[in-house]
Amino acid sequence: MIDFHTHILPGMDDGSRDVRESLQMLTLESEQGVQETLLTPHFYAHFDKISSFLERREHSFQKLTKALNEHDMGISLSLRKGAEVYYFPGIGDAKQIRELSFEGTDILLLEMPFAQWTDEIYVDVKKLIEKQKLTILLAHVERYDSFQKSRKIWNQIFKLPLYAQINTGGIDKHKKKRFIKKFLKLQVPLVLGSDCHNMKTRLPNLKQGRDSLRDIFGETLLATIDKTEERLLK
């Protein structure tokens, strides 16, 4: 099991507040059977420079790994650094954007605007794929659906060679089930992420989400997702 979307790194964003909470979140991930966790704090170009973000991320990562080494908590999973990069105009031409991809890969977790998607957005995503040679993974695709009054750009973007990530929270809810059923018709390769932020309201829930997905859509879909996830990272 791979968690493609988490906010576990301490003190980076609106996720884990401190190392203690991060250790609790990682313990829960491990207990659920997660084997690899992608650490994907928010990156906002209007707020941060890539260089300073990477420095803060490394500092946070070192604090976390030091605590893991000092406390024998039986946590058996691998950690990989990344980022959840919020779209900004011109991102398709942005220098250094590759530095925000998942460690050791060309995969960029891209958070799209919570608004009607436009031609400009389509061009930028296309450039990230064709010009920057990045593998694009769109974060929590279910969250953009209600903003698309016109489906033109939505359909164009999902015809591009990219991947989509779905949050594992609330898969058994009617609205989420209906979205997934509709989205599957686009035949876009899917991966899963908990998008966990804390130990109170947005806990790691990858196993629960996978169980719901299996119960509702069947073992075949889950097996296909597992193969996609393994292929992406290997």
Side-chain angles (χ1 to χ4, degrees):
M1 290 168 56
I2 305 169
D3 194 342
F4 273 83
H5 187 167
T6 72
H7 296 271
I8 290 176
L9 277 179
M12 281 295 296
D13 53 17
D14 60 341
S16 172
R17 296 164 299 172
D18 51 39
V19 170
R20 179 175 175 272
E21 186 168 37
S22 296
L23 292 176
Q24 292 174 337
M25 294 170 76
L26 288 175
T27 298
L28 191 51
E29 290 260 285
S30 181
E31 289 174 349
Q32 291 181 27
V34 176
Q35 297 164 310
E36 182 163 8
T37 298
L38 280 296
L39 304 169
T40 55
H42 287 289
F43 173 80
Y44 299 107
H46 64 275
F47 174 76
D48 213 346
K49 294 182 179 179
I50 291 177
S51 57
S52 58
F53 171 84
L54 294 176
E55 287 178 9
R56 288 193 301 111
R57 188 185 69 179
E58 185 60 27
H59 179 67
S60 177
F61 181 76
Q62 292 301 327
K63 284 202 304 183
L64 179 58
T65 52
K66 180 181 179 182
L68 282 169
N69 291 332
E70 290 176 350
H71 300 82
D72 186 10
M73 304 176 66
I75 298 174
S76 56
L77 50 77
S78 62
L79 304 176
R80 193 189 298 246
K81 290 173 283 187
E84 180 184 6
V85 182
Y86 190 72
Y87 170 85
F88 57 90
I91 190 174
D93 296 309
K95 296 179 180 179
Q96 297 181 296
I97 200 69
R98 177 175 289 273
E99 296 181 38
L100 298 175
S101 57
F102 293 162
E103 185 179 11
T105 79
D106 63 359
I107 304 165
L108 187 75
L109 181 64
L110 180 63
E111 184 176 28
M112 297 290 277
F114 296 95
Q116 174 67 57
W117 293 353
T118 64
D119 289 326
E120 179 185 29
I121 293 170
Y122 169 75
V123 169
D124 270 326
V125 175
K126 194 167 185 285
K127 282 183 176 181
L128 287 172
I129 296 169
E130 296 181 354
K131 179 180 177 180
Q132 303 273 18
K133 306 299 182 185
L134 288 167
T135 299
I136 297 302
L137 173 59
L138 297 188
H140 44 58
V141 290
E142 72 278 5
R143 294 180 60 189
Y144 316 119
D145 185 57
S146 62
F147 296 94
Q148 310 309 309
K149 306 309 177 187
S150 167
R151 293 281 160 174
K152 176 189 171 186
I153 305 302
W154 174 272
N155 291 330
Q156 285 181 335
I157 283 178
F158 286 115
K159 286 179 182 178
L160 294 170
L162 47 68
Y163 295 78
Q165 177 257 314
I166 287 180
N167 282 2
T168 44
I171 284 177
D172 56 344
K173 299 296 191 297
H174 176 70
K175 184 177 180 181
K176 189 81 165 273
K177 285 192 292 186
R178 186 174 60 184
F179 169 81
I180 293 173
K181 184 176 181 180
K182 180 174 64 174
F183 190 78
L184 288 173
K185 295 178 182 178
L186 296 175
Q187 298 184 314
V188 178
L190 290 177
V191 303
L192 301 175
S194 67
D195 196 6
C196 56
H197 278 62
N198 52 55
M199 286 296 292
K200 292 183 178 180
T201 58
R202 298 179 69 177
L203 289 74
N205 59 12
L206 199 67
K207 184 180 185 302
Q208 297 96 312
R210 286 172 57 87
D211 289 345
S212 294
L213 201 66
R214 181 188 293 108
D215 292 343
I216 298 166
F217 295 98
E219 187 68 45
T220 300
L221 175 59
L222 197 58
T224 299
I225 289 173
D226 285 341
K227 289 180 181 177
T228 299
E229 293 181 344
E230 291 175 11
R231 185 174 66 249
L232 254 181
L233 291 183
K234 292 181 180 178

